Amino acid sequence: MILPLFLSSVLLAAPAGDAGPAEETALSDTLSGAVLVSDYKQVLPVGQVASPVTGLNMAQMDTRGIDDIKKLSSLVPNLHIPDYGSSMTSSVYLRGFGSRIDNPVIGLYIDDIPVMNKNSYDTGMYDISSAMLLRGPQSTLYGRNSMCGVLSLTTFSPENCHESRISLEYGNANSVLARLSVCGKSGFGASVAYRHTDGFYLNTYDNEYVDRSDALNFRFRVWKQLRRNLIFENILSASLTDQGGYPYREYDPESGDLAPVAYNDPCRYRRLNVTEGLKFKYMSENWTLNSVTSLQFLADKMVMDQDFTTRSMFTLAQEQLEGAVTQELILKPEGGWRKSWWNWQTGFFAFGKYNDMSAPVRFKHDGIQELILDNANAGLSQMGASLLFQEDEFDIPSDFGIATAGAALYHESYFMLGRWTLTAGIRFDYEWSGMDYDSRAVVHYTVSPFMGDRYIPCESVYSGREDISYLEIMPKLSALYDFGAFKLFATFSEGYKSGGFNTQIFSDILQNKLMAELMKDSPVTLPESSVGADDTVYKPERSLNVEVGTRFSFSRGQHNFRGTASIYSIMCLNQQITVFPTGTSTGRMMANAGNSRSIGAEAEFGYGYRNFSMTATYGFCDARFTNYNDGLADYKGKRIPYSPAHTLNARVQYRWDMDNDYFRSITAGVEVSALGKIWWDEANTLSQPFYAVLGADVRGHFKWFDIFLRGENLTDSRYAVFYFKSVGKSFFQMSKPLRLTVGVSVNL
């Protein structure tokens, strides 16, 4: 961290050239018509991109209260980011695919820097000037884990922002958000934000709210034109999160009732993120070279009552220390290299990261009895014997060292032939990952009455190393024809999601090894375990995507219309899905579930007339398994769980202008967000029906400040946002109640 900051100070001391800022490609926001500054990779204007693109500007995010990526759900067709668990559980589902753990299906870039760990996706969007989501596989330019899309966030930059903003919000559950952003003409910018809430979910066991949360975010940004042809940026960001969470309620499948949130062991999540980014842009007469370098650090700890009941079963305390470095170089033509009919970009990307993880599972009294002793004594009791442990509690420590590295070379060419824009691209992506693991447990046992009061130790060890590597080749072909107000486009592309290791299954493996060791000299035969060494590794997930669509934008007098519509078909191979071993297991794991397919349609529409505006988005998705048999059942034709079949958002807004320089206008809006049906299991026996929530907001615009009132879930709708199983039992998390927020924003 010291070297990049030192380099920043040296470069800032260098004399600046007399030329103005370099010209950037502008992107039109598909919902508002506003202008977004593109990231380094975007060559074509958004109107020429042969993929659906949703953009939001700062004013829209402020009005709707979008301060984290989970609130983008349903605003973007077929996007679902459920708000459950904690900030660690930032699961993203798009177009029928997604993942609860490990690698995501969309890439997240903040100021052109890739976020390398999914645990960091749920970060505060407190100083974001624009957000852009490209849907469909973007793997040719963005590589790993972008098989369904890429979300690119741009923060306030002193390059084009020379003002300061202060805002303060207060809402239900003593929820407070305070933030400050400063951008100066000197090339420096900074922002800080603090958020607190007392929580919405009461733990009836101790009468405390489980989701109390505090978060602090900081960002420092420098932009400077060092010479006429050299631009430098330094972006240092840090965030600290300390929260409870996991308000899960046990479900009774016979009565259909949900028990209240009630568990006896603490649940908590703490996270520290630090990212240092360096960006350079060098411009010659014939080419431009962009360089983006990042150093990323993550330290987090999750403490969890894994049975989520008042019984003393078992707990998990997972800690991670991860460091990552990324480097990207992007070459683009200028001047004589760039032709009127041909543009292109070629890039190189490399990364390396290392994760030092500890994930001990503590078995407590009830867990030892039900998960271990009862299984063993079911057979021993026929012989008049019983297995006993000296320990009332014991740990299964599991330590992991996971190293991952990769390199990629990619190219895209853009051919402008009359009204046609043709794109051809290819990416070669190599990735390697290795895991060292050490999991062990020691207990003292006796078999009564044969061994009397004598307890002897039994140790079980499971240690070793696993390595995986693969080369992915991802082509892309697209065509767009421009009729003027209307454009038609078609795209074929491939994408992939990285493979990995199942660290959360090791406690099950060691538990089974311990049982086998205890019973090896006994005539009792235990059932064979459903998990083993093969379950510690899962392979990459691949997709083939075909999409056709249209984009339009036109005006009739003061009536403005714009929108996008498309249909797509995705074939997925080696789909990754979270599964639980059979029986009363303690872990979960990622498995390659065979093959699946997803077909769907998406539409966005915007209309404006004077001070009135209306937007609507809709997504339909039919995602099903085409080949998946887990050894117990065949799920062919069943819908893929956790991803909704429909998403819908509609908003109307009107602005009343005041004939006063100090009290300038009032803006009011009403919107409806809806989604469903969501299937919760592969057998399609449990589901969340289609539901809708109502929101509204009103904002007064004054000369120096705004005041606003915003309401979320005004109908106080109750619906399930998450489902899972633990120790053979089912649990749901339900939605947050009605929420009101009042606030003030000051521009300086």
Side-chain angles (χ1 to χ4, degrees):
M1 190 66 67
I2 297 176
L3 178 60
L5 292 176
F6 173 75
L7 181 60
S8 300
S9 63
V10 172
L11 289 170
L12 287 174
D18 57 1
E23 183 179 351
E24 295 281 355
T25 302
L27 294 177
S28 296
D29 185 327
T30 56
L31 291 181
S32 70
V35 173
L36 307 177
V37 177
S38 74
D39 64 16
Y40 275 25
K41 293 186 180 182
Q42 195 61 47
V43 173
L44 298 175
V46 73
Q48 300 299 114
V49 175
S51 296
V53 182
T54 298
L56 293 168
N57 61 25
M58 178 190 66
Q60 291 173 312
M61 290 184 284
D62 283 349
T63 298
R64 296 180 171 187
I66 299 174
D67 49 22
D68 64 62
I69 67 169
K70 292 178 178 178
K71 293 186 179 181
L72 294 174
S73 292
S74 79
L75 293 180
V76 180
N78 282 323
L79 176 67
H80 180 46
I81 312 175
D83 185 4
Y84 75 92
S86 70
S87 293
M88 183 179 182
T89 51
S90 46
S91 303
V92 180
Y93 300 92
L94 182 60
R95 295 186 168 185
F97 301 106
S99 174
R100 285 175 45 199
I101 56 177
D102 296 337
N103 298 309
V105 295
I106 71 168
L108 174 61
Y109 279 68
I110 302 177
D111 294 322
D112 309 308
I113 297 170
V115 177
M116 297 302 294
N117 193 309
K118 189 177 77 71
N119 288 8
S120 303
Y121 269 38
D122 187 9
T123 185
M125 294 171 57
Y126 302 129
D127 59 346
I128 305 300
S129 61
S130 65
M132 182 179 68
L133 180 61
L134 293 89
R135 300 193 298 282
Q138 305 297 324
S139 298
T140 305
L141 291 182
Y142 295 93
R144 65 196 304 268
N145 304 332
S146 59
M147 60 174 279
C148 286
V150 167
L151 174 62
S152 179
L153 304 179
T154 302
T155 64
F156 289 108
S157 171
E159 175 189 4
N160 47 39
C161 172
H162 302 140
E163 64 179 24
S164 300
R165 302 176 71 243
I166 303 174
S167 65
L168 180 65
E169 301 180 10
Y170 180 81
N172 301 64
N174 285 325
S175 298
V176 178
L177 173 60
R179 47 185 170 174
L180 167 67
S181 297
V182 179
C183 284
K185 295 182 179 180
S186 59
F188 292 88
S191 66
V192 62
Y194 171 72
R195 182 179 205 118
H196 167 82
T197 181
D198 286 348
F200 296 90
Y201 301 95
L202 183 69
N203 185 347
T204 58
Y205 176 81
D206 58 11
N207 206 37
E208 297 284 343
Y209 284 91
V210 300
D211 57 325
R212 182 183 177 92
S213 176
D214 291 278
L216 181 65
N217 291 64
F218 169 80
R219 196 181 320 272
F220 177 74
R221 187 165 181 171
V222 178
W223 184 95
K224 191 171 183 65
Q225 184 147 0
L226 301 176
R227 293 180 176 82
R228 182 185 59 81
N229 58 352
L230 180 61
I231 294 175
F232 160 78
E233 281 187 272
N234 179 77
I235 307 167
L236 173 65
S237 62
S239 65
L240 179 64
T241 300
D242 185 358
Q243 60 182 190
Y246 313 102
Y248 302 142
R249 302 173 60 180
E250 186 176 349
Y251 171 71
D252 185 343
E254 294 186 2
S255 65
D257 295 333
L258 283 172
V261 177
Y263 49 79
N264 60 323
D265 286 306
C267 286
R268 195 163 190 174
Y269 181 62
R270 295 176 178 175
R271 182 183 68 200
L272 171 66
N273 280 107
V274 180
T275 299
E276 164 69 17
L278 290 173
K279 298 170 64 176
F280 292 92
K281 174 178 286 188
Y282 180 82
M283 299 157 286
S284 76
E285 293 183 358
N286 292 318
W287 48 269
T288 295
L289 180 65
N290 295 317
S291 172
V292 183
T293 308
S294 78
L295 302 175
Q296 303 180 33
F297 174 76
L298 165 69
D300 71 352
K301 181 176 183 179
M302 174 187 66
V303 177
M304 181 183 291
D305 181 338
Q306 281 199 289
D307 60 278
F308 301 104
T309 68
T310 56
R311 309 196 66 198
S312 296
M313 297 287 287
F314 61 103
T315 62
L316 171 67
Q318 175 181 290
E319 291 187 77
Q320 294 184 102
L321 288 174
E322 182 176 278
V325 58
T326 70
Q327 174 63 60
E328 186 154 24
L329 299 171
I330 307 167
L331 181 67
K332 300 178 182 179
E334 299 291 346
W337 284 17
R338 180 175 177 177
K339 309 299 181 183
S340 60
W341 57 273
W342 179 36
N343 199 356
W344 53 266
Q345 63 177 312
T346 296
F348 169 78
F349 176 75
F351 78 96
K353 63 177 183 175
Y354 183 80
N355 190 333
D356 185 4
M357 179 190 298
S358 173
V361 172
R362 166 159 288 193
F363 278 84
K364 309 186 86 171
H365 173 74
D366 295 326
I368 293 172
Q369 188 65 45
E370 294 184 20
L371 301 178
I372 300 178
L373 296 181
D374 285 353
N375 288 332
N377 290 329
L380 289 173
S381 62
Q382 301 175 11
M383 305 167 53
S386 63
L387 175 69
L388 301 174
F389 284 169
Q390 188 177 37
E391 293 85 358
D392 191 53
E393 297 182 359
F394 71 88
D395 290 331
I396 297 183
S398 296
D399 298 311
F400 307 93
I402 304 174
T404 307
L409 184 66
Y410 61 89
H411 175 87
E412 278 197 354
S413 281
Y414 315 95
F415 303 96
M416 284 67 70
L417 307 175
R419 292 180 176 269
W420 288 96
T421 300
L422 306 177
T423 301
I426 192 166
R427 184 185 185 101
F428 300 91
D429 208 328
Y430 175 79
E431 186 168 328
W432 166 89
S433 188
M435 175 181 67
D436 293 304
Y437 58 90
D438 184 7
S439 187
R440 58 187 64 237
V442 178
V443 297
H444 294 79
Y445 76 99
T446 186
V447 179
S448 177
F450 305 119
M451 298 173 59
D453 295 331
R454 183 171 59 93
Y455 287 87
I456 62 174
C458 177
E459 181 178 14
S460 182
V461 178
Y462 187 60
S463 61
R465 179 178 177 84
E466 296 285 348
D467 291 271
I468 55 174
S469 62
Y470 37 86
L471 174 66
E472 299 290 339
I473 302 175
M474 289 159 288
K476 175 183 178 180
L477 295 171
S478 70
L480 181 143
Y481 189 82
D482 190 348
F483 288 95
F486 288 84
K487 299 179 177 67
L488 295 178
F489 62 84
T491 298
F492 167 79
S493 54
E494 293 190 21
Y496 89 101
K497 186 151 69 84
S498 298
F501 305 106
N502 282 312
T503 57
Q504 296 192 25
I505 204 62
F506 277 78
S507 63
D508 276 72
I509 294 175
L510 198 68
Q511 176 188 332
N512 295 326
K513 287 178 64 66
L514 181 64
M515 288 295 298
E517 185 71 22
L518 289 169
M519 307 302 291
K520 67 179 181 179
D521 296 325
S522 169
V524 177
T525 302
L526 295 177
E528 186 174 346
S529 171
S530 61
V531 295
D534 292 342
D535 296 307
T536 61
V537 178
Y538 58 90
K539 297 179 291 186
E541 176 178 311
R542 299 178 177 87
S543 70
L544 304 175
N545 183 86
V546 177
E547 184 165 11
V548 295
T550 182
R551 180 180 292 115
F552 62 88
S553 177
F554 60 91
S555 299
R556 294 292 183 267
Q558 298 187 55
H559 299 271
N560 301 302
F561 303 86
R562 57 195 172 273
T564 305
S566 65
I567 58 174
Y568 63 85
S569 175
I570 304 173
M571 182 173 65
C572 185
L573 309 175
N574 288 325
Q575 184 185 357
Q576 299 169 5
I577 191 167
T578 305
V579 299
F580 296 87
T582 57
T584 55
S585 62
T586 61
R588 60 180 180 174
M589 63 182 184
M590 188 73 75
N592 294 103
N595 303 330
S596 58
R597 63 97 178 126
S598 176
I599 56 175
E602 298 174 350
E604 295 179 274
F605 175 76
Y607 168 73
Y609 175 71
R610 294 184 177 177
N611 293 351
F612 174 81
S613 65
M614 178 182 70
T615 60
T617 66
Y618 171 72
F620 165 74
C621 176
D622 187 316
R624 300 176 184 267
F625 296 110
T626 58
N627 178 23
Y628 178 31
N629 190 318
D630 64 358
L632 299 176
D634 187 354
Y635 300 114
K636 181 179 180 179
K638 299 293 186 180
R639 287 186 179 267
I640 300 173
Y642 294 103
S643 190
H646 304 271
T647 64
L648 173 68
N649 179 270
R651 176 180 176 86
V652 293
Q653 179 175 296
Y654 191 82
R655 187 185 76 249
W656 290 270
D657 292 326
M658 305 295 173
D659 189 16
N660 189 301
D661 186 47
Y662 294 95
F663 184 18
R664 296 179 172 179
S665 63
I666 297 176
T667 301
V670 178
E671 71 178 280
V672 175
S673 295
L675 60 85
K677 190 176 192 177
I678 302 176
W679 291 104
W680 296 121
D681 57 350
E682 291 80 7
N684 292 177
T685 60
L686 290 172
S687 65
Q688 166 61 52
F690 186 85
Y691 65 89
V693 293
L694 178 67
D697 53 82
V698 59
R699 180 177 291 257
H701 305 274
F702 295 83
K703 184 175 182 179
W704 295 290
F705 64 92
D706 290 356
I707 57 174
F708 59 88
L709 174 65
R710 184 173 61 247
E712 301 173 77
N713 192 12
L714 293 176
T715 55
D716 201 23
S717 301
R718 299 303 171 97
Y719 50 91
V721 295
F722 181 57
Y723 164 84
F724 73 104
K725 297 186 71 174
S726 178
V727 200
K729 297 181 179 180
S730 297
F731 295 85
F732 281 98
Q733 178 173 332
M734 303 304 291
S735 59
K736 291 179 181 177
L738 179 152
R739 302 179 302 285
L740 296 175
T741 301
V742 62
V744 58
S745 176
V746 181
N747 294 324
L748 302 177

